[in-house]
Amino acid sequence: MPKVFCVANQKGGVGKTTTTVNLAAGLAQVGQRVLVIDLDPQGNATMGSGIDKRKLELSVYDVLLESASIAEAKQHSGKGGYDVLGANRELAGAEVELVGLERRSERLASALAAVEADYDFVLIDCPPSLSLLTLNGLCSAHGVIVPMQCEYFALEGLTDLVNTIKQVHANLNPKLQIIGLLRVMFDPRITLQQQVSEQLKSHFGDKVFDAVIPRNVRLAEAPSYGQPGVVFDPNARGAQAYVAFAEEMVGRAARLAS
Ligand code: ADP
Ligand code: MG
């Protein structure tokens, strides 16, 4: 049984996709079998894994509408070492089409049941909204990884996400929990970031991951080469931080199981 994690935060540009693809590549490097599911119509996790979103024959859209299985629609990310269930603009239509259908928030969870034996980790890159797509992710997952920048409004922005997670936990998916908050694009020279980081630790305790991802230009350059930063430049500080995070996640996932 794989451990399934959503990478979610309703804000855009906070590092969800970067975290998804680099965690996937980091986990693959330590021998884990990983599936990335791109649930964002922008298709950034797809492109950042070296798969052309414009050339997808089948995508997560077909899986949500139950016209294809994950096994049929997934592809291998060449250099990343993991599989990808890709997405493109078509997925924006699924949002509308799903509304009228039954089990509309449980489509992804049902599809995942069929590939249970194939993976150790499934990572779901969520769109920047608390939409029906994100709901499908949350209904499939054991836990949520929340990347966040240590900025002034960081804590405030968390409230809606935490409330949504509580509601899904209470009504749809009792196994769902917040696994942790991941500090990303961190710059220790900025006093405010250090202060917010301390605040996060005092509010959320061990729900804050030990790994801290620095702001690192190599991580930002990697997607244009269709590679996760971890593969593109393994010696960069950002890449090394994501590998450390992958190791931490292996530990957290093991504790979930017990
Ligand atoms: P989201 O998926 O939440 O919208 P992204 O992962 O796409 O966010 O990140 C937003 C932008 O910030 C992208 O251009 C990405 O390359 C860049 N970025 C993400 N993490 C880092 C980092 N640690 N250092 C530098 N740039 C980063
Ligand atoms: Mg994204």
Side-chain angles (χ1 to χ4, degrees):
M1 273 274 274
K3 287 288 174 288
V4 182
F5 300 106
C6 280
V7 180
N9 186 325
Q10 76 277 22
K11 282 174 75 175
V14 294
K16 291 181 291 295
T17 301
T18 305
T19 296
T20 304
V21 300
N22 282 287
L23 175 58
L27 287 168
Q29 280 183 10
V30 295
Q32 305 292 314
R33 300 168 302 160
V34 184
L35 172 67
V36 164
I37 299 179
D38 191 349
L39 261 191
D40 188 340
Q42 291 181 79
N44 293 346
T46 305
M47 296 294 279
S49 299
I51 295 165
D52 190 341
K53 65 181 178 184
R54 291 154 299 202
K55 295 186 182 150
L56 293 176
E57 279 175 22
L58 293 169
S59 70
V60 68
Y61 170 86
D62 302 281
V63 170
L64 290 172
L65 292 177
E66 297 183 338
S67 59
S69 67
I70 292 178
E72 288 164 338
K74 66 145 202 267
Q75 296 189 39
H76 195 66
S77 141
K79 295 199 168 149
Y82 53 88
D83 284 348
V84 179
L85 177 57
N88 55 27
R89 289 173 56 192
E90 208 181 17
L91 183 58
E95 187 90 41
V96 181
E97 289 169 59
L98 279 172
V99 169
L101 303 177
E102 57 185 30
R103 300 183 301 105
R104 59 188 178 188
S105 51
E106 284 132 334
R107 295 287 174 118
L108 189 62
S110 314
L112 271 172
V115 292
E116 241 169 42
D118 301 335
Y119 299 104
D120 302 305
F121 283 86
V122 177
L123 304 178
I124 304 174
D125 187 25
C126 291
S129 61
L130 299 172
S131 61
L132 194 46
L133 292 172
T134 299
L135 202 54
N136 263 275
L138 295 176
C139 285
S140 309
H142 298 96
V144 185
I145 297 166
V146 185
M148 54 192 304
Q149 286 169 261
C150 291
E151 289 174 343
Y152 186 62
F153 289 115
L155 282 173
E156 215 164 294
L158 271 183
T159 317
D160 290 341
L161 179 61
V162 169
N163 286 338
T164 302
I165 292 169
K166 279 187 187 153
Q167 277 179 25
V168 173
H169 174 85
N171 299 310
L172 295 164
N173 177 9
K175 64 179 190 286
L176 186 69
Q177 53 174 285
I178 293 191
I179 302 298
L181 308 177
L182 178 66
R183 291 163 286 173
V184 298
M185 301 188 222
F186 192 73
D187 185 344
R189 293 166 304 185
I190 300 176
T191 311
L192 176 66
Q193 293 209 4
Q194 281 179 0
Q195 286 168 349
V196 173
S197 174
E198 288 311 314
Q199 256 182 6
L200 278 181
K201 279 198 278 189
S202 60
H203 267 76
F204 293 96
D206 63 2
K207 290 279 181 197
V208 181
F209 290 110
D210 293 333
V212 179
I213 312 299
R215 184 171 283 284
N216 178 229
V217 69
R218 301 300 271 169
L219 290 173
E221 288 168 354
S224 59
Y225 297 85
Q227 294 175 24
V230 162
V231 178
F232 174 62
D233 186 353
N235 295 318
R237 281 186 318 124
Q240 290 177 351
Y242 271 117
V243 171
F245 177 49
E247 283 161 1
E248 189 176 355
M249 276 303 297
V250 172
R252 296 246 181 170
R255 265 174 277 149
L256 266 186
S258 58

